[in-house]
Amino acid sequence: MQNNPHIQEQLEKWVEENRGHVVLGTTAQYIPALGNEDPAQLGICMIDEEGNYYAAGDTEKEFTLQSVSKALSFIAVCCHYGLDYVLERVDVEPTGEAFNSIIPFEIHRPNKPFNPFINAGAITVSALLPGQTPQKKFQFLLEFLEKLVGHPLEMDQEVYDSEWQTSHRNRALAYYLKEANFLDIEVEEALDIYISQCAIKINVKDLALIGLIIGYDGYNPITKERHFSDDIAQVVKVLMVTCGMYNSSGNFAAHVGIPAKSGVSGGILAAVPPKLHSQTYAFRAGAGIGVYGPAIDVQGNSAAGTMMLKQISKEWDLSIF
Ligand code: GLN
């Protein structure tokens, strides 16, 4: 099937309609290199199961994965060790707290981090990546991602340096993890891997393709390649729904209803599974969505990106609920 011009027109219209919402957020000031981005940007790419891409708005821009990487390192680690091994070391419980909060640790003293999408859980997962050194662990993740998107990827050194110099809170969290015996490697090594993965450069097209693969339970319907198993995909989608949009995941589930993972760079990865009983003409066989809008709200989600997804999900009946 050819690209549907009606879908393309709608997407372009909705990007412009939602562009005004960028004023509801600001760029992530706590990582100086992200704080300097132009907050007015907004772009989206959607891909269907036949490989048709629809892109509208600021779609050429490269940005860093940030917390979107948490979903991907979790998948990579599960692929290598199996789900059971990983879930013995990190739980799948939402916290309702900010992504970088220390409170859940102090109050509950859990026997493993609450979930892999808060920083504590993500740093734990990064440390689990296979490899004898931080470089080899990072390389493992990078190669896994390169297979998903089908081309080489690289890290943004400026963003890495900027976060490395200012990540005092993540350092504090990593010391908590070390004290609780959740880290088998040194604090600085775990931080190095985590900050490197957050600084991997990506664009909305790549995010959309990864979203499609997650929506298809680890299978790429375009290349007919399986990247990870159904059971890993199932847990990842649950995590995306319950924890993927930080402490506004409940609201996002209610109003958008698409498994998604956001990052403070303003990226959102969303996975729309097939929904064959849907009445709409668009994306009944599922879709992957990549969004970029660097003005983020207080929870850390792209302000205009979230509003745009709300509109798209409603218009095209994409909610899984
Ligand atoms: N690198 C960022 C941090 O740890 C990622 C956080 C995010 O995207 N929410 O603070």
PDB file of all heavy atoms in Angstrom, residues 249-283:
ATOM      1  N   SER A 249       2.035   9.036  34.455  1.00  0.00           N
ATOM      2  CA  SER A 249       1.695   7.850  33.649  1.00  0.00           C
ATOM      3  C   SER A 249       0.199   7.526  33.723  1.00  0.00           C
ATOM      4  O   SER A 249      -0.397   7.089  32.736  1.00  0.00           O
ATOM      5  CB  SER A 249       2.511   6.635  34.109  1.00  0.00           C
ATOM      6  OG  SER A 249       3.880   6.871  33.876  1.00  0.00           O
ATOM      7  N   GLY A 250      -0.413   7.736  34.872  1.00  0.00           N
ATOM      8  CA  GLY A 250      -1.851   7.459  35.013  1.00  0.00           C
ATOM      9  C   GLY A 250      -2.668   8.356  34.106  1.00  0.00           C
ATOM     10  O   GLY A 250      -3.556   7.901  33.383  1.00  0.00           O
ATOM     11  N   ASN A 251      -2.337   9.646  34.124  1.00  0.00           N
ATOM     12  CA  ASN A 251      -3.044  10.595  33.263  1.00  0.00           C
ATOM     13  C   ASN A 251      -2.830  10.282  31.794  1.00  0.00           C
ATOM     14  O   ASN A 251      -3.764  10.362  30.989  1.00  0.00           O
ATOM     15  CB  ASN A 251      -2.517  12.006  33.538  1.00  0.00           C
ATOM     16  CG  ASN A 251      -3.444  12.738  34.463  1.00  0.00           C
ATOM     17  OD1 ASN A 251      -4.558  13.076  34.066  1.00  0.00           O
ATOM     18  ND2 ASN A 251      -3.011  12.932  35.691  1.00  0.00           N
ATOM     19  N   PHE A 252      -1.606   9.934  31.447  1.00  0.00           N
ATOM     20  CA  PHE A 252      -1.297   9.630  30.052  1.00  0.00           C
ATOM     21  C   PHE A 252      -2.073   8.376  29.618  1.00  0.00           C
ATOM     22  O   PHE A 252      -2.635   8.330  28.522  1.00  0.00           O
ATOM     23  CB  PHE A 252       0.212   9.420  29.893  1.00  0.00           C
ATOM     24  CG  PHE A 252       0.672   9.358  28.463  1.00  0.00           C
ATOM     25  CD1 PHE A 252       0.961  10.514  27.753  1.00  0.00           C
ATOM     26  CD2 PHE A 252       0.823   8.137  27.817  1.00  0.00           C
ATOM     27  CE1 PHE A 252       1.386  10.457  26.428  1.00  0.00           C
ATOM     28  CE2 PHE A 252       1.242   8.069  26.494  1.00  0.00           C
ATOM     29  CZ  PHE A 252       1.534   9.233  25.805  1.00  0.00           C
ATOM     30  N   ALA A 253      -2.137   7.380  30.501  1.00  0.00           N
ATOM     31  CA  ALA A 253      -2.883   6.155  30.172  1.00  0.00           C
ATOM     32  C   ALA A 253      -4.362   6.484  29.967  1.00  0.00           C
ATOM     33  O   ALA A 253      -5.009   5.984  29.042  1.00  0.00           O
ATOM     34  CB  ALA A 253      -2.706   5.117  31.277  1.00  0.00           C
ATOM     35  N   ALA A 254      -4.892   7.352  30.828  1.00  0.00           N
ATOM     36  CA  ALA A 254      -6.323   7.685  30.735  1.00  0.00           C
ATOM     37  C   ALA A 254      -6.636   8.486  29.478  1.00  0.00           C
ATOM     38  O   ALA A 254      -7.652   8.258  28.822  1.00  0.00           O
ATOM     39  CB  ALA A 254      -6.749   8.466  31.979  1.00  0.00           C
ATOM     40  N   HIS A 255      -5.774   9.430  29.123  1.00  0.00           N
ATOM     41  CA  HIS A 255      -6.110  10.361  28.041  1.00  0.00           C
ATOM     42  C   HIS A 255      -5.482  10.016  26.689  1.00  0.00           C
ATOM     43  O   HIS A 255      -5.937  10.488  25.657  1.00  0.00           O
ATOM     44  CB  HIS A 255      -5.718  11.786  28.436  1.00  0.00           C
ATOM     45  CG  HIS A 255      -6.445  12.257  29.658  1.00  0.00           C
ATOM     46  ND1 HIS A 255      -7.811  12.407  29.694  1.00  0.00           N
ATOM     47  CD2 HIS A 255      -5.989  12.562  30.893  1.00  0.00           C
ATOM     48  CE1 HIS A 255      -8.170  12.797  30.900  1.00  0.00           C
ATOM     49  NE2 HIS A 255      -7.087  12.892  31.655  1.00  0.00           N
ATOM     50  N   VAL A 256      -4.414   9.234  26.717  1.00  0.00           N
ATOM     51  CA  VAL A 256      -3.770   8.829  25.454  1.00  0.00           C
ATOM     52  C   VAL A 256      -3.900   7.314  25.277  1.00  0.00           C
ATOM     53  O   VAL A 256      -4.302   6.830  24.221  1.00  0.00           O
ATOM     54  CB  VAL A 256      -2.284   9.264  25.411  1.00  0.00           C
ATOM     55  CG1 VAL A 256      -1.654   8.877  24.076  1.00  0.00           C
ATOM     56  CG2 VAL A 256      -2.140  10.770  25.655  1.00  0.00           C
ATOM     57  N   GLY A 257      -3.536   6.570  26.299  1.00  0.00           N
ATOM     58  CA  GLY A 257      -3.765   5.122  26.279  1.00  0.00           C
ATOM     59  C   GLY A 257      -2.836   4.336  25.355  1.00  0.00           C
ATOM     60  O   GLY A 257      -3.194   3.265  24.880  1.00  0.00           O
ATOM     61  N   ILE A 258      -1.649   4.886  25.115  1.00  0.00           N
ATOM     62  CA  ILE A 258      -0.672   4.194  24.256  1.00  0.00           C
ATOM     63  C   ILE A 258       0.581   3.926  25.090  1.00  0.00           C
ATOM     64  O   ILE A 258       1.085   4.846  25.740  1.00  0.00           O
ATOM     65  CB  ILE A 258      -0.288   5.063  23.036  1.00  0.00           C
ATOM     66  CG1 ILE A 258      -1.523   5.413  22.204  1.00  0.00           C
ATOM     67  CG2 ILE A 258       0.745   4.349  22.169  1.00  0.00           C
ATOM     68  CD1 ILE A 258      -1.234   6.406  21.077  1.00  0.00           C
ATOM     69  N   PRO A 259       1.115   2.685  25.097  1.00  0.00           N
ATOM     70  CA  PRO A 259       2.374   2.440  25.805  1.00  0.00           C
ATOM     71  C   PRO A 259       3.451   3.381  25.266  1.00  0.00           C
ATOM     72  O   PRO A 259       3.662   3.457  24.052  1.00  0.00           O
ATOM     73  CB  PRO A 259       2.700   0.976  25.465  1.00  0.00           C
ATOM     74  CG  PRO A 259       1.382   0.364  25.096  1.00  0.00           C
ATOM     75  CD  PRO A 259       0.582   1.473  24.451  1.00  0.00           C
ATOM     76  N   ALA A 260       4.107   4.117  26.170  1.00  0.00           N
ATOM     77  CA  ALA A 260       5.058   5.135  25.717  1.00  0.00           C
ATOM     78  C   ALA A 260       6.176   5.319  26.728  1.00  0.00           C
ATOM     79  O   ALA A 260       6.023   4.998  27.905  1.00  0.00           O
ATOM     80  CB  ALA A 260       4.335   6.473  25.513  1.00  0.00           C
ATOM     81  N   LYS A 261       7.299   5.824  26.250  1.00  0.00           N
ATOM     82  CA  LYS A 261       8.402   6.171  27.146  1.00  0.00           C
ATOM     83  C   LYS A 261       8.957   7.513  26.716  1.00  0.00           C
ATOM     84  O   LYS A 261       9.284   7.710  25.539  1.00  0.00           O
ATOM     85  CB  LYS A 261       9.511   5.108  27.082  1.00  0.00           C
ATOM     86  CG  LYS A 261      10.663   5.402  28.033  1.00  0.00           C
ATOM     87  CD  LYS A 261      10.295   5.103  29.473  1.00  0.00           C
ATOM     88  CE  LYS A 261      11.080   5.939  30.484  1.00  0.00           C
ATOM     89  NZ  LYS A 261      10.520   7.291  30.717  1.00  0.00           N
ATOM     90  N   SER A 262       9.075   8.410  27.685  1.00  0.00           N
ATOM     91  CA  SER A 262       9.558   9.753  27.363  1.00  0.00           C
ATOM     92  C   SER A 262      10.949   9.982  27.928  1.00  0.00           C
ATOM     93  O   SER A 262      11.436   9.203  28.743  1.00  0.00           O
ATOM     94  CB  SER A 262       8.599  10.790  27.950  1.00  0.00           C
ATOM     95  OG  SER A 262       8.606  10.665  29.350  1.00  0.00           O
ATOM     96  N   GLY A 263      11.565  11.065  27.495  1.00  0.00           N
ATOM     97  CA  GLY A 263      12.876  11.463  28.007  1.00  0.00           C
ATOM     98  C   GLY A 263      12.917  12.975  28.164  1.00  0.00           C
ATOM     99  O   GLY A 263      12.159  13.686  27.486  1.00  0.00           O
ATOM    100  N   VAL A 264      13.812  13.471  29.042  1.00  0.00           N
ATOM    101  CA  VAL A 264      13.854  14.916  29.289  1.00  0.00           C
ATOM    102  C   VAL A 264      14.420  15.733  28.121  1.00  0.00           C
ATOM    103  O   VAL A 264      14.374  16.955  28.145  1.00  0.00           O
ATOM    104  CB  VAL A 264      14.616  15.286  30.590  1.00  0.00           C
ATOM    105  CG1 VAL A 264      13.844  14.878  31.818  1.00  0.00           C
ATOM    106  CG2 VAL A 264      16.027  14.728  30.592  1.00  0.00           C
ATOM    107  N   SER A 265      14.924  15.060  27.093  1.00  0.00           N
ATOM    108  CA  SER A 265      15.311  15.784  25.876  1.00  0.00           C
ATOM    109  C   SER A 265      14.063  16.197  25.090  1.00  0.00           C
ATOM    110  O   SER A 265      14.144  16.975  24.155  1.00  0.00           O
ATOM    111  CB  SER A 265      16.161  14.870  24.992  1.00  0.00           C
ATOM    112  OG  SER A 265      15.475  13.644  24.798  1.00  0.00           O
ATOM    113  N   GLY A 266      12.910  15.633  25.464  1.00  0.00           N
ATOM    114  CA  GLY A 266      11.667  15.944  24.767  1.00  0.00           C
ATOM    115  C   GLY A 266      11.246  14.867  23.798  1.00  0.00           C
ATOM    116  O   GLY A 266      10.268  15.010  23.064  1.00  0.00           O
ATOM    117  N   GLY A 267      11.960  13.746  23.796  1.00  0.00           N
ATOM    118  CA  GLY A 267      11.595  12.624  22.929  1.00  0.00           C
ATOM    119  C   GLY A 267      10.523  11.757  23.580  1.00  0.00           C
ATOM    120  O   GLY A 267      10.487  11.625  24.802  1.00  0.00           O
ATOM    121  N   ILE A 268       9.651  11.208  22.755  1.00  0.00           N
ATOM    122  CA  ILE A 268       8.688  10.196  23.229  1.00  0.00           C
ATOM    123  C   ILE A 268       8.669   9.052  22.215  1.00  0.00           C
ATOM    124  O   ILE A 268       8.553   9.273  21.002  1.00  0.00           O
ATOM    125  CB  ILE A 268       7.249  10.755  23.373  1.00  0.00           C
ATOM    126  CG1 ILE A 268       7.211  11.985  24.287  1.00  0.00           C
ATOM    127  CG2 ILE A 268       6.304   9.673  23.929  1.00  0.00           C
ATOM    128  CD1 ILE A 268       5.825  12.647  24.386  1.00  0.00           C
ATOM    129  N   LEU A 269       8.798   7.850  22.747  1.00  0.00           N
ATOM    130  CA  LEU A 269       8.692   6.625  21.941  1.00  0.00           C
ATOM    131  C   LEU A 269       7.342   6.012  22.283  1.00  0.00           C
ATOM    132  O   LEU A 269       7.049   5.790  23.461  1.00  0.00           O
ATOM    133  CB  LEU A 269       9.823   5.687  22.368  1.00  0.00           C
ATOM    134  CG  LEU A 269       9.699   4.187  22.124  1.00  0.00           C
ATOM    135  CD1 LEU A 269       9.911   3.887  20.655  1.00  0.00           C
ATOM    136  CD2 LEU A 269      10.733   3.435  22.944  1.00  0.00           C
ATOM    137  N   ALA A 270       6.496   5.760  21.282  1.00  0.00           N
ATOM    138  CA  ALA A 270       5.179   5.198  21.570  1.00  0.00           C
ATOM    139  C   ALA A 270       4.917   3.998  20.673  1.00  0.00           C
ATOM    140  O   ALA A 270       5.277   3.997  19.495  1.00  0.00           O
ATOM    141  CB  ALA A 270       4.103   6.263  21.385  1.00  0.00           C
ATOM    142  N   ALA A 271       4.301   2.974  21.272  1.00  0.00           N
ATOM    143  CA  ALA A 271       4.085   1.702  20.572  1.00  0.00           C
ATOM    144  C   ALA A 271       2.587   1.410  20.495  1.00  0.00           C
ATOM    145  O   ALA A 271       1.955   1.158  21.515  1.00  0.00           O
ATOM    146  CB  ALA A 271       4.792   0.578  21.344  1.00  0.00           C
ATOM    147  N   VAL A 272       2.052   1.467  19.293  1.00  0.00           N
ATOM    148  CA  VAL A 272       0.620   1.221  19.110  1.00  0.00           C
ATOM    149  C   VAL A 272       0.432  -0.202  18.598  1.00  0.00           C
ATOM    150  O   VAL A 272       0.747  -0.494  17.447  1.00  0.00           O
ATOM    151  CB  VAL A 272       0.019   2.208  18.081  1.00  0.00           C
ATOM    152  CG1 VAL A 272      -1.487   2.000  17.956  1.00  0.00           C
ATOM    153  CG2 VAL A 272       0.346   3.640  18.444  1.00  0.00           C
ATOM    154  N   PRO A 273      -0.077  -1.104  19.429  1.00  0.00           N
ATOM    155  CA  PRO A 273      -0.279  -2.474  18.949  1.00  0.00           C
ATOM    156  C   PRO A 273      -1.440  -2.527  17.946  1.00  0.00           C
ATOM    157  O   PRO A 273      -2.274  -1.613  17.925  1.00  0.00           O
ATOM    158  CB  PRO A 273      -0.648  -3.253  20.227  1.00  0.00           C
ATOM    159  CG  PRO A 273      -0.356  -2.328  21.369  1.00  0.00           C
ATOM    160  CD  PRO A 273      -0.457  -0.941  20.830  1.00  0.00           C
ATOM    161  N   PRO A 274      -1.519  -3.564  17.121  1.00  0.00           N
ATOM    162  CA  PRO A 274      -2.644  -3.683  16.183  1.00  0.00           C
ATOM    163  C   PRO A 274      -3.975  -3.682  16.936  1.00  0.00           C
ATOM    164  O   PRO A 274      -4.048  -4.185  18.050  1.00  0.00           O
ATOM    165  CB  PRO A 274      -2.407  -5.052  15.529  1.00  0.00           C
ATOM    166  CG  PRO A 274      -0.966  -5.347  15.739  1.00  0.00           C
ATOM    167  CD  PRO A 274      -0.569  -4.676  17.010  1.00  0.00           C
ATOM    168  N   LYS A 275      -4.990  -3.102  16.307  1.00  0.00           N
ATOM    169  CA  LYS A 275      -6.311  -3.012  16.958  1.00  0.00           C
ATOM    170  C   LYS A 275      -7.343  -3.229  15.856  1.00  0.00           C
ATOM    171  O   LYS A 275      -7.910  -2.276  15.316  1.00  0.00           O
ATOM    172  CB  LYS A 275      -6.455  -1.623  17.579  1.00  0.00           C
ATOM    173  CG  LYS A 275      -7.700  -1.421  18.410  1.00  0.00           C
ATOM    174  CD  LYS A 275      -7.616  -0.062  19.105  1.00  0.00           C
ATOM    175  CE  LYS A 275      -8.829   0.263  19.891  1.00  0.00           C
ATOM    176  NZ  LYS A 275      -8.736   1.571  20.573  1.00  0.00           N
ATOM    177  N   LEU A 276      -7.536  -4.501  15.504  1.00  0.00           N
ATOM    178  CA  LEU A 276      -8.263  -4.796  14.265  1.00  0.00           C
ATOM    179  C   LEU A 276      -9.748  -4.461  14.338  1.00  0.00           C
ATOM    180  O   LEU A 276     -10.378  -4.238  13.306  1.00  0.00           O
ATOM    181  CB  LEU A 276      -8.028  -6.249  13.871  1.00  0.00           C
ATOM    182  CG  LEU A 276      -6.538  -6.528  13.561  1.00  0.00           C
ATOM    183  CD1 LEU A 276      -6.299  -8.005  13.295  1.00  0.00           C
ATOM    184  CD2 LEU A 276      -6.037  -5.691  12.387  1.00  0.00           C
ATOM    185  N   HIS A 277     -10.307  -4.370  15.544  1.00  0.00           N
ATOM    186  CA  HIS A 277     -11.731  -4.034  15.631  1.00  0.00           C
ATOM    187  C   HIS A 277     -11.973  -2.528  15.555  1.00  0.00           C
ATOM    188  O   HIS A 277     -13.099  -2.074  15.603  1.00  0.00           O
ATOM    189  CB  HIS A 277     -12.342  -4.600  16.918  1.00  0.00           C
ATOM    190  CG  HIS A 277     -11.752  -4.001  18.154  1.00  0.00           C
ATOM    191  ND1 HIS A 277     -10.627  -4.512  18.765  1.00  0.00           N
ATOM    192  CD2 HIS A 277     -12.114  -2.919  18.874  1.00  0.00           C
ATOM    193  CE1 HIS A 277     -10.331  -3.761  19.820  1.00  0.00           C
ATOM    194  NE2 HIS A 277     -11.214  -2.792  19.902  1.00  0.00           N
ATOM    195  N   SER A 278     -10.894  -1.747  15.440  1.00  0.00           N
ATOM    196  CA  SER A 278     -11.036  -0.291  15.426  1.00  0.00           C
ATOM    197  C   SER A 278     -11.857   0.163  14.207  1.00  0.00           C
ATOM    198  O   SER A 278     -11.756  -0.400  13.121  1.00  0.00           O
ATOM    199  CB  SER A 278      -9.648   0.333  15.380  1.00  0.00           C
ATOM    200  OG  SER A 278      -9.752   1.697  15.136  1.00  0.00           O
ATOM    201  N   GLN A 279     -12.647   1.229  14.394  1.00  0.00           N
ATOM    202  CA  GLN A 279     -13.504   1.745  13.317  1.00  0.00           C
ATOM    203  C   GLN A 279     -12.751   2.727  12.415  1.00  0.00           C
ATOM    204  O   GLN A 279     -13.231   3.089  11.357  1.00  0.00           O
ATOM    205  CB  GLN A 279     -14.709   2.484  13.921  1.00  0.00           C
ATOM    206  CG  GLN A 279     -15.606   1.627  14.795  1.00  0.00           C
ATOM    207  CD  GLN A 279     -16.209   0.470  14.022  1.00  0.00           C
ATOM    208  OE1 GLN A 279     -16.696   0.636  12.908  1.00  0.00           O
ATOM    209  NE2 GLN A 279     -16.155  -0.724  14.610  1.00  0.00           N
ATOM    210  N   THR A 280     -11.575   3.155  12.865  1.00  0.00           N
ATOM    211  CA  THR A 280     -10.892   4.207  12.122  1.00  0.00           C
ATOM    212  C   THR A 280     -10.165   3.655  10.895  1.00  0.00           C
ATOM    213  O   THR A 280      -9.845   2.465  10.833  1.00  0.00           O
ATOM    214  CB  THR A 280      -9.900   4.958  13.028  1.00  0.00           C
ATOM    215  OG1 THR A 280      -9.077   5.801  12.224  1.00  0.00           O
ATOM    216  CG2 THR A 280      -8.998   4.015  13.764  1.00  0.00           C
ATOM    217  N   TYR A 281      -9.861   4.533   9.956  1.00  0.00           N
ATOM    218  CA  TYR A 281      -9.151   4.101   8.740  1.00  0.00           C
ATOM    219  C   TYR A 281      -7.645   4.049   8.959  1.00  0.00           C
ATOM    220  O   TYR A 281      -6.910   3.478   8.174  1.00  0.00           O
ATOM    221  CB  TYR A 281      -9.459   5.079   7.596  1.00  0.00           C
ATOM    222  CG  TYR A 281      -8.967   6.470   7.865  1.00  0.00           C
ATOM    223  CD1 TYR A 281      -7.715   6.886   7.422  1.00  0.00           C
ATOM    224  CD2 TYR A 281      -9.739   7.377   8.603  1.00  0.00           C
ATOM    225  CE1 TYR A 281      -7.252   8.152   7.712  1.00  0.00           C
ATOM    226  CE2 TYR A 281      -9.275   8.638   8.897  1.00  0.00           C
ATOM    227  CZ  TYR A 281      -8.034   9.015   8.448  1.00  0.00           C
ATOM    228  OH  TYR A 281      -7.564  10.265   8.729  1.00  0.00           O
ATOM    229  N   ALA A 282      -7.173   4.681  10.057  1.00  0.00           N
ATOM    230  CA  ALA A 282      -5.717   4.872  10.197  1.00  0.00           C
ATOM    231  C   ALA A 282      -5.110   3.923  11.215  1.00  0.00           C
ATOM    232  O   ALA A 282      -5.597   3.808  12.338  1.00  0.00           O
ATOM    233  CB  ALA A 282      -5.430   6.316  10.609  1.00  0.00           C
ATOM    234  N   PHE A 283      -4.048   3.261  10.834  1.00  0.00           N
ATOM    235  CA  PHE A 283      -3.201   2.478  11.742  1.00  0.00           C
ATOM    236  C   PHE A 283      -3.932   1.379  12.509  1.00  0.00           C
ATOM    237  O   PHE A 283      -3.624   1.118  13.666  1.00  0.00           O
ATOM    238  CB  PHE A 283      -2.465   3.419  12.717  1.00  0.00           C
ATOM    239  CG  PHE A 283      -1.603   4.429  12.013  1.00  0.00           C
ATOM    240  CD1 PHE A 283      -1.954   5.773  11.989  1.00  0.00           C
ATOM    241  CD2 PHE A 283      -0.441   4.031  11.360  1.00  0.00           C
ATOM    242  CE1 PHE A 283      -1.165   6.704  11.325  1.00  0.00           C
ATOM    243  CE2 PHE A 283       0.356   4.962  10.704  1.00  0.00           C
ATOM    244  CZ  PHE A 283      -0.012   6.292  10.685  1.00  0.00           C
TER     245      PHE A 283
END
